[in-house]
Amino acid sequence: MPVSDCRHFSGYKPCKKNEFCDSSCAHKDIPQISLLVVHLGALGAVVRSTSLLRAIKRKYPSSMVTWVTDAPAHQLLHNHPAIDRVLTTTEADLLQLSTLEFEVALVIDKSLKAVGVLKRTTVDQIFGFTVNPRNGAIVPATAAANELWQLGLNDEKKFFENTKAETQLMVEALELGPFQRDEYWLPLNKQEDLTRQARRSEWLQGKSLIIGLNTGCSNVIAHKKLTVEYHRILIQKLSHEIPDAQLVLLGGPEDTERNVLIATGLPVISSETRSGLRDGLVSVAACDIVITGDSLGMHMAISQQKQVIAWFGPTCAHEIDIYERGAKILTKSPCAPCWKRACEKDIMCYDQVSLMEILDAVKSSRTNCLSRGSAAVDPAIEAL
């Protein structure tokens, strides 16, 4: 008889692990707990939250994990070795969710929408955040989430008193055990890794290493990106001072036209920007060093264990862990951080980022890359 409670059993098509399903199958794996992760966005934050997966598996080693997120973040999590099912907030996917029951839910977002996802299923225990049903206010689901909750309510605490990275705050808020500073976990699959190798070989063109410049960010806080002119000056400086480096512009579809303006007349390669999130991840993985603002591209670079030179203006540098690979460059603007979505100042925070600090950090990272004997760090194709 088929083992219908195995995590690999679907009930409507042959199993990918074994065509014949019975109790003698070597791949038989019966989960002991059903766990729901709700993290809808933003894209970079979802990438960062993959750092939770090892802690989840330590606390719940035989869990079957379903992750609900907003599109298009589901593309990033597709076929992840630690996630059994990825659903979006579309009605079709929420219908699927309504057929399931969970012992544990981890709600990472502080939003009514995220908590509302739970109303489409059955959950025994919630960690992270929930809602006061009388007024719709987001509140901690348990006392452990109080610190992370309070940081969102008090700018003084968030900007100046807090010293913990968001990765640590999440582990503690979700009660996932002692914080062990786990890395982001977003591996390339085998075909993607082959594409990375081919792309890297194509880009190197006899150079020693590849420096990627992630030029964009989301429109939520649009001034987390450097100006076109700043990027052009930076490229000119890098090409002069680090001649053995190939320079590549990175970005998404919203950055396509901007990258054309940046690249015009300069010795830089423009990567493909319209082939989807996973292809963008492959391009980041083909680089050795990534220069970026606080954006999805930064989190992708961290996930692929690149040397990351990240500059910070409106957002909090101390909330980001780059795992001793690279450097964080802070704007000289006296009003940073602020987390404002709009700003009317004559001199913006991105105008007050030291070009010399970026160049020095890139040179230091270049030395670190080359001293390992191979510039590239191959992203691991990991399995549980």
Side-chain angles (χ1 to χ4, degrees), residues 230 237 241 353-363:
Y230 193 116
K237 290 286 188 181
E241 298 192 23
V353 178
S354 170
L355 180 64
M356 187 60 65
E357 287 185 35
I358 292 179
L359 291 172
D360 288 345
V362 173
K363 291 174 183 177

Side-chain angles (χ1 to χ4, degrees), residues 74-80 186-189 192 199 275-284 300 304:
H74 67 294
Q75 298 171 20
L76 292 167
L77 302 175
H78 184 62
N79 287 333
H80 193 288
L186 194 63
L188 302 182
N189 62 40
E192 288 171 335
R199 193 166 295 177
S275 296
L277 291 172
R278 293 294 304 193
D279 187 76
L281 183 65
V282 170
S283 289
V284 169
M300 283 182 169
Q304 301 305 299

Side-chain angles (χ1 to χ4, degrees), residues 15 20 56 116 146 149 168 220 258 267 274 294 319 349 370:
C15 179
F20 303 101
I56 289 171
N146 190 62
W149 182 64
Q168 179 175 355
V220 175
R258 193 165 182 268
R274 294 174 174 171
D294 180 3
E319 292 182 345
C349 56
L370 298 180

Side-chain angles (χ1 to χ4, degrees), residues 199 203 248-253 256 259 269-276 279-281 283:
R199 193 166 295 177
W203 287 350
V248 176
L249 298 183
L250 306 168
T256 304
N259 282 4
I269 295 171
S270 292
S271 70
E272 172 57 46
T273 57
R274 294 174 174 171
S275 296
D279 187 76
L281 183 65
S283 289

Side-chain angles (χ1 to χ4, degrees), residues 81-286:
I83 304 174
D84 298 279
R85 182 186 293 109
V86 179
L87 299 175
T88 69
T89 52
T90 62
E91 185 59 29
D93 280 5
L94 291 176
L95 277 174
Q96 295 183 55
L97 185 69
S98 69
T99 68
L100 305 174
E101 297 179 355
F102 300 92
E103 283 86 3
V104 172
L106 308 178
V107 182
I108 301 171
D109 297 35
K110 290 178 276 187
S111 75
L112 286 175
K113 183 178 179 181
V115 179
V117 169
L118 301 186
K119 295 296 184 179
R120 305 300 292 268
T121 186
T122 301
V123 177
D124 295 335
Q125 189 172 21
I126 303 171
F127 295 97
F129 299 99
T130 186
V131 65
N132 180 333
R134 289 183 177 274
N135 66 355
I138 299 300
V139 294
T142 69
N146 190 62
E147 181 179 12
L148 182 55
W149 182 64
Q150 289 282 355
L151 290 177
L153 303 176
N154 188 313
D155 286 347
E156 181 70 21
K157 287 183 179 180
K158 180 177 179 66
F159 296 164
F160 307 112
E161 295 179 15
N162 174 52
T163 60
K164 296 179 181 178
E166 190 78 6
T167 47
Q168 179 175 355
L169 290 165
M170 287 190 297
V171 165
E172 293 171 351
L174 299 172
E175 300 188 38
L176 292 175
F179 178 62
Q180 297 188 28
R181 205 186 179 196
D182 294 307
E183 294 264 5
Y184 293 22
W185 190 2
L186 194 63
L188 302 182
N189 62 40
K190 291 181 179 179
Q191 183 55 54
E192 288 171 335
D193 192 53
L194 290 173
T195 302
R196 176 196 66 83
Q197 294 176 46
R199 193 166 295 177
R200 177 175 176 79
S201 297
E202 176 187 351
W203 287 350
L204 271 174
Q205 299 177 4
K207 303 282 189 175
S208 300
L209 76 165
I210 298 172
I211 299 175
L213 292 91
N214 178 53
T215 63
C217 67
S218 75
N219 291 323
V220 175
I221 305 180
H223 43 285
K224 289 195 296 182
K225 57 189 174 188
L226 300 171
T227 64
V228 169
E229 187 56 33
Y230 193 116
H231 274 113
R232 288 180 59 80
I233 294 170
L234 179 57
I235 290 167
Q236 291 167 352
K237 290 286 188 181
L238 288 169
S239 61
H240 175 71
E241 298 192 23
I242 312 179
D244 65 332
Q246 183 62 263
L247 306 180
V248 176
L249 298 183
L250 306 168
E254 67 279 2
D255 306 310
T256 304
E257 294 181 7
R258 193 165 182 268
N259 282 4
V260 170
L261 296 175
I262 292 171
T264 300
L266 296 180
V268 63
I269 295 171
S270 292
S271 70
E272 172 57 46
T273 57
R274 294 174 174 171
S275 296
L277 291 172
R278 293 294 304 193
D279 187 76
L281 183 65
V282 170
S283 289
V284 169

Side-chain angles (χ1 to χ4, degrees), residues 48 51 164-168 179-184 298-299 301-303 306 308 310 312 316-325 328:
R48 176 173 55 194
S51 65
K164 296 179 181 178
E166 190 78 6
T167 47
Q168 179 175 355
F179 178 62
Q180 297 188 28
R181 205 186 179 196
D182 294 307
E183 294 264 5
Y184 293 22
M298 178 193 71
H299 289 290
I302 296 171
S303 79
K306 303 293 118 177
V308 178
F312 293 85
C316 301
H318 54 268
E319 292 182 345
I320 305 299
D321 192 347
I322 62 172
Y323 301 89
E324 282 75 54
R325 294 186 297 267
K328 292 188 277 190

